[in-house]
Amino acid sequence: MLIICPPNTRLQDCLLSRSIHILTACGGRGNCGKCAVKVISGETAINTMDRLWFSEEQLEAGWRLGCQVFAKDEQITVEVKTGSEG
Ligand code: FES
């Protein structure tokens, strides 16, 4: 499922406003890696927790921890896997 997240918005807030739920086993602390999403377009920062869970190649391909993604200055498009998608 592709989600467009507007600027200055946390992906988690964007998803919740649409009643879309991703797996967040650790409560969004960056400890479980269950919330992986793929940023399709737009820039998002890579933080320390992303670096723990993903290889450099995966980061280059856009993989991030969904609980940590923030759309800063521009809208981003993110591919998410919801709980119902298995
Ligand atoms: S919810 Fe656990 S790492 Fe994101």
Side-chain angles (χ1 to χ4, degrees), residues 20-48:
I20 297 168
H21 300 279
I22 58 174
L23 293 174
T24 55
C26 71
R29 290 187 294 271
N31 294 328
C32 72
K34 301 283 187 194
C35 61
V37 300
K38 190 172 186 181
V39 178
I40 304 298
S41 70
E43 289 288 320
T44 59
I46 298 170
N47 71 20
T48 308

Side-chain angles (χ1 to χ4, degrees), residues 1-74:
M1 170 184 295
L2 289 180
I3 300 295
I4 294 174
C5 186
N8 303 308
T9 310
R10 272 178 9 118
L11 176 62
Q12 284 265 68
D13 294 337
C14 182
L15 294 173
L16 287 175
S17 72
R18 298 174 196 191
S19 298
I20 297 168
H21 300 279
I22 58 174
L23 293 174
T24 55
C26 71
R29 290 187 294 271
N31 294 328
C32 72
K34 301 283 187 194
C35 61
V37 300
K38 190 172 186 181
V39 178
I40 304 298
S41 70
E43 289 288 320
T44 59
I46 298 170
N47 71 20
T48 308
M49 299 312 280
D50 290 315
R51 292 194 185 282
L52 287 178
W53 286 99
F54 302 112
S55 68
E56 206 53 48
E57 290 77 22
Q58 289 172 315
L59 293 169
E60 280 282 315
W63 288 99
R64 302 285 186 280
L65 294 174
C67 66
Q68 311 285 314
V69 170
F70 184 82
K72 196 174 174 197
D73 297 329
E74 62 181 34

